Amino acid sequence: MKKIFFLAFVLLASGVVFAQEKTIQQAEFETISKSSAKMLFEKPHRITRTQQSTVEILQPENGAKSSVSASPASSISVKSITEFLPSVGFRTVYEFNSSSKNTKKEMIRIGGKTYTRENDAGWAELSVAQTASRARSANSNADHKIEYKAVGTEKLNNQNANIYAKIETARFVNPADNKENVSSTTTKYWYAEDGRLLKRERRREIRNGKMVSRFVSTTVFETDPSIKIEAPKLN
């Protein structure tokens, strides 16, 4: 009897969350996002991001055209921690790990200058040419759809959080091999009751017929008045 009651409670709770979900307009979503970004970047804050990426190669089974099997997935994990101090600069620690390579990189931007080092080696200042942004070629989207939703509320770190989601589907041509890819991306956002962004989770899958790439990233946002950014000592 207790099991039946517990199952009914879970189903009822799920129904409440589902009933709270509703589609919203892009303008409403962007208003919430911009307001949160303004609140965050006016204060010393830390952004911690972790990402796991896997790639599977699909192969026909015994020459069959309809049935496919997947080779063991290769995996890559990335973690970055960036601390921002308004009107001063930022510091980033980036770690990359795979079966063949492990790398740690650090960057400090302060006083209009950028400093970097790799794997705990000595610090070096980058030249203006090295720090200049490079233009990126955009994918040619044949079809791109975006939907915005207000999902509901839940507890996050002992505080109430409002959850929103951005759901994207797209077909695009990869300029690297001129093949069509199909991607689906769901990004969820957790906002505190005062509008501050607390957490973002993104799940993306890309298929091109022969390969499946999956990306899962989680980003945590937190304010911290103790953050300090200082220029490193050069060798």
Side-chain angles (χ1 to χ4, degrees):
M1 185 67 182
K2 290 183 178 180
K3 291 183 178 180
I4 295 175
F5 176 78
F6 176 75
L7 178 60
F9 175 79
V10 171
L11 292 175
L12 178 61
S14 300
V16 170
V17 172
F18 180 80
Q20 290 178 332
E21 181 177 298
K22 65 177 182 178
T23 300
I24 62 175
Q25 296 300 312
Q26 179 179 353
E28 180 180 351
F29 178 86
E30 290 182 348
T31 297
I32 296 170
S33 179
K34 290 178 181 178
S35 175
S36 174
K38 186 175 184 298
M39 293 175 64
L40 184 67
F41 282 88
E42 287 179 344
K43 299 178 180 180
H45 64 281
R46 181 181 299 104
I47 299 178
T48 303
R49 179 174 178 266
T50 57
Q51 176 177 304
Q52 189 75 24
S53 306
T54 59
V55 177
E56 291 180 305
I57 306 298
L58 303 179
Q59 301 172 338
E61 292 185 347
N62 300 323
K65 293 183 178 180
S66 57
S67 300
V68 295
S69 61
S71 65
S74 59
S75 178
I76 295 174
S77 64
V78 174
K79 180 178 181 179
S80 66
I81 301 176
T82 303
E83 295 180 328
F84 293 87
L85 190 59
S87 303
V88 176
F90 68 86
R91 174 179 54 242
T92 296
V93 179
Y94 171 91
E95 296 180 3
F96 174 95
N97 297 287
S98 69
S99 59
S100 60
K101 184 178 182 180
N102 297 317
T103 302
K104 178 182 177 182
K105 295 183 179 180
E106 296 176 72
M107 175 183 290
I108 293 176
R109 176 72 174 175
I110 185 171
K113 297 181 179 181
T114 302
Y115 307 89
T116 64
R117 70 173 177 174
E118 186 170 336
N119 295 329
D120 298 320
W123 287 95
E125 182 181 348
L126 293 185
S127 65
V128 175
Q130 289 174 303
T131 58
S133 60
R134 299 178 180 178
R136 296 181 180 180
S137 58
N139 291 320
S140 175
N141 286 347
D143 184 22
H144 189 198
K145 297 179 181 179
I146 303 178
E147 187 177 16
Y148 302 91
K149 290 183 177 292
V151 178
T153 62
E154 70 176 34
K155 286 284 187 179
L156 180 66
N157 300 329
N158 295 319
Q159 59 183 314
N160 293 326
N162 299 309
I163 309 171
Y164 292 83
K166 180 180 180 180
I167 304 167
E168 304 173 78
T169 56
R171 293 178 179 272
F172 60 90
V173 176
N174 187 342
D177 55 16
N178 204 34
K179 292 183 179 180
E180 184 180 69
N181 291 252
V182 179
S183 73
S184 59
T185 307
T186 298
T187 308
K188 294 176 67 176
Y189 304 81
W190 284 258
Y191 292 95
E193 291 184 322
D194 64 1
R196 290 178 297 112
L197 179 59
L198 302 173
K199 178 182 174 181
R200 179 179 66 215
E201 180 185 86
R202 176 169 294 149
R203 294 180 178 272
R204 189 182 191 196
E205 181 179 279
I206 302 176
R207 292 177 175 266
N208 66 5
K210 296 183 179 180
M211 182 173 65
V212 181
S213 302
R214 296 183 178 90
F215 307 86
V216 179
S217 68
T218 301
T219 308
V220 176
F221 304 82
E222 54 185 335
T223 57
D224 184 352
S226 68
I227 289 176
K228 295 181 180 180
I229 308 296
E230 298 177 346
K233 294 181 179 179
L234 303 180
N235 291 343

